[in-house]
Amino acid sequence: MKWLSAFTLLLFVSVAQASEEKPKNIIMVVGDGMGPAYTTAYRYFADKKTSPMIEPTVFDRHLVGMASTYPARVSGYVTDSAAGATALSAGVKSYNGAIAVDENKQSVKTVLEQARLNGLKTGVAVTSQINHATPAAFSAHNESRRNYDAIANSYFDDKVNGQFALDVMLGGGWKYFIRDDRNIVDEFKSAGYQYIDDLTQLDSLKPGPVIGLFGDEGMPWALDMPDKQRLPALVETAVKQLTNDKGYFLLVEGSQVDWAGHSNDIASAMAEMHDLALTLEWLEQYVQKNPDTLVVVTADHSTGGFTIAANGNYQWDPEPLKAVTQSLSSLAKSMVNSKTPMDLAEAGLGYKLNETEKSLLQKVDMTNSKALYVQLKKLMDIRSNTGWTSSGHTAVDVQIFAMGAGKDHFRGHMDNTNIPKIIFELMQSK
Ligand code: MG
Ligand code: ZN
């Protein structure tokens, strides 16, 4: 009997705690493609050389668990971002390409829609186009992630509880929202949304719904923008616009960690991680002041088979990655047809090229920016001793980080579909 009453007491305590922990605001953050190698490498990248210790990062401070990422059996073990986001938004395994639909292409309810049904405000703040796979799988339903125009249409045409799915949309996407056949931005404006297309306008927004688009597709690489003026600025604004008495649900995505991974571009990978880390540091402060907010951070999968040290050499050097002053892709474009391409390369890379590096660059057709970009990435891999095994995704488990109200529910190993299931439960608990 004794153990039974102790158990009953324990159950009572945990339920009581759970009710106290019911978050008012929920912020889900996806680092697209951010496998464990990325957060580890970021620790070395961010390490202050002036102190003997390797400082823990914002990721280290809030690690709570790991999640498996495999999609529905029909798609094998390796997920894409659409099936990954559907698992994270709806708790349903689907086929690669699915945008919040199940294997039979039937719509499945997402945590963002549940928030809407509960009367909360909702938003997305991402560095990809706002109708890209991850934000789309929280805010719309489609049988294929490639139906970008149809997904953009859905943002205006499909209603949740008689309302638009999203109060706040911040990211890229002019080519999908301002088209010859349809101008969805104008439609949102007629419906009372503020529209901005330049980051300097973020501070001048009035309270109320907003669509802010800052690129034709995704936003520029983090390396081509000043610190804190990209994802941190979007998230700070989204939170400000969404804050209200009933609470809000916000989906944040560091979308381009994945794009850097696909491209095997270690300089951009670390800069995208830095942009996301600055965002999480801001959220860390925000949760301290607003402990009724839950922040859950995870990845949909890892990308590129990124390895920290390659070729049997026990060494990885992030220093050259910190010296870079612009993205290698924009550097490559500026080198095309320049009279002084080697000077440009040294200015962009932030270091003096050695003879081997010079000759590697001189081998390339200087009129071909794509070939130049490939070669600049190769120089970076050699300098830093970075390895890659793929231009696609890999099936390694990803980490879960959490802060604020209810964070302990995400401890341990779980399947990625359990993350939204827990969030659905937290939203229902009284
Ligand atoms: Mg994504
Ligand atoms: Zn990807």
Side-chain angles (χ1 to χ4, degrees):
M1 277 309 282
K2 242 181 197 165
W3 66 266
L4 188 66
S5 57
F7 177 76
T8 312
L9 183 67
L10 247 173
L11 195 69
F12 173 75
V13 168
S14 82
V15 168
Q17 272 177 352
S19 65
E20 274 169 24
E21 285 171 354
K22 186 193 175 181
K24 175 181 166 189
N25 309 310
I26 299 176
I27 304 175
M28 273 184 89
V29 183
V30 177
D32 199 308
M34 183 183 71
Y38 288 81
T39 49
T40 310
Y42 181 70
R43 186 188 307 128
Y44 306 140
F45 174 85
D47 176 40
K48 292 192 194 76
K49 279 283 145 64
T50 47
S51 70
M53 80 176 295
I54 292 168
E55 286 79 13
T57 64
V58 68
F59 298 99
D60 297 327
R61 287 196 288 280
H62 302 289
L63 176 74
V64 292
M66 295 286 288
S68 46
T69 67
Y70 59 87
R73 309 300 330 122
V74 63
S75 294
Y77 298 122
V78 189
T79 191
D80 82 326
S81 288
T86 300
L88 291 171
S89 70
V92 172
K93 297 276 190 203
S94 196
Y95 57 91
N96 284 345
I99 297 295
V101 296
D102 64 15
E103 284 186 83
N104 303 313
K105 302 187 176 174
Q106 298 300 304
S107 295
V108 286
K109 186 170 70 180
T110 74
V111 283
L112 187 144
E113 290 168 334
Q114 183 64 55
R116 191 49 125 189
L117 292 169
N118 292 1
L120 275 64
K121 291 206 185 297
T122 54
V124 296
V126 302
T127 53
S128 63
Q129 52 269 45
I130 59 170
N131 54 336
H132 202 257
T134 310
F138 283 77
S139 324
H141 306 271
N142 201 288
E143 65 175 58
S144 170
R145 61 183 292 170
R146 288 189 198 87
N147 296 332
Y148 280 115
D149 286 353
I151 293 168
N153 294 347
S154 289
Y155 282 21
F156 190 84
D157 297 339
D158 297 347
K159 304 290 190 295
V160 185
N161 216 6
Q163 295 172 278
F164 296 114
L166 298 161
D167 298 297
V168 171
M169 295 164 265
L170 299 173
W174 294 323
K175 71 182 271 194
Y176 306 107
F177 286 82
I178 305 171
R179 313 191 304 255
D180 289 339
D181 69 314
R182 190 167 173 185
N183 187 328
I184 301 171
V185 163
D186 277 349
E187 294 180 49
F188 270 118
K189 282 204 269 191
S190 312
Y193 279 65
Q194 303 167 79
Y195 173 62
I196 54 173
D197 59 6
D198 191 294
L199 290 167
T200 58
Q201 297 168 294
L202 286 172
D203 290 335
S204 60
L205 286 171
K206 296 177 190 73
V210 56
I211 176 165
L213 302 178
F214 313 102
D216 211 22
E217 297 186 74
M219 291 174 70
W221 287 114
L223 272 173
D224 294 329
M225 294 181 70
D227 262 11
K228 299 195 183 180
Q229 287 185 22
R230 195 159 166 272
L231 193 57
L234 299 189
V235 170
E236 204 176 326
T237 301
V239 164
K240 192 174 94 195
Q241 297 300 120
L242 290 170
T243 298
N244 75 103
D245 289 345
K246 287 205 80 175
Y248 63 81
F249 181 95
L250 171 64
L251 183 268
V252 175
E253 187 190 31
S255 318
Q256 299 189 23
V257 176
D258 177 64
W259 300 2
H262 280 285
S263 183
N264 291 180
D265 181 339
I266 188 57
S268 266
M270 287 301 104
E272 295 302 321
M273 286 298 295
H274 185 56
D275 189 49
L276 182 55
L278 291 175
T279 306
L280 295 182
E281 285 169 8
W282 186 83
L283 286 172
E284 188 178 46
Q285 300 285 318
Y286 177 82
V287 167
Q288 261 172 28
K289 283 177 248 150
N290 301 273
D292 54 357
T293 300
L294 167 67
V295 178
V296 184
V297 186
T298 191
D300 45 0
H301 52 76
S302 194
T303 305
F306 166 36
T307 53
I308 308 168
N311 308 310
N313 185 356
Y314 288 34
Q315 179 250 321
W316 191 68
D317 185 6
E319 291 308 308
L321 310 175
K322 298 185 204 172
V324 172
T325 61
Q326 68 182 118
S327 72
L328 301 191
S329 60
S330 73
L331 172 58
K333 283 180 198 133
S334 69
M335 285 170 69
V336 165
N337 297 326
S338 157
K339 291 205 174 74
T340 54
M342 291 301 148
D343 294 347
L344 281 180
E346 289 187 339
L349 295 169
Y351 54 77
K352 280 254 168 270
L353 294 166
N354 61 35
E355 289 312 310
T356 320
E357 288 169 328
K358 274 185 194 157
S359 70
L360 274 171
L361 271 183
Q362 273 151 357
K363 270 194 214 159
V364 181
D365 171 5
M366 285 287 168
T367 64
N368 182 340
S369 74
K370 280 199 174 130
L372 271 169
Y373 180 36
V374 167
Q375 203 71 333
L376 288 167
K377 287 186 288 187
K378 192 184 277 179
L379 295 193
M380 264 317 171
D381 284 344
I382 295 169
R383 276 247 173 182
S384 58
N385 197 34
T386 296
W388 304 95
T389 61
S390 177
S391 60
H393 297 176
T394 61
V396 67
D397 287 356
V398 295
Q399 298 152 107
I400 308 168
F401 314 87
M403 356 174 179
K407 68 176 183 345
D408 290 329
H409 293 283
F410 301 91
R411 287 199 179 279
H413 184 270
M414 62 183 72
D415 186 64
N416 58 1
T417 52
N418 281 52
I419 296 172
K421 283 175 189 165
I422 295 166
I423 291 175
F424 276 123
E425 271 176 43
L426 285 172
M427 285 199 287
Q428 273 152 24
S429 66
K430 283 258 150 37

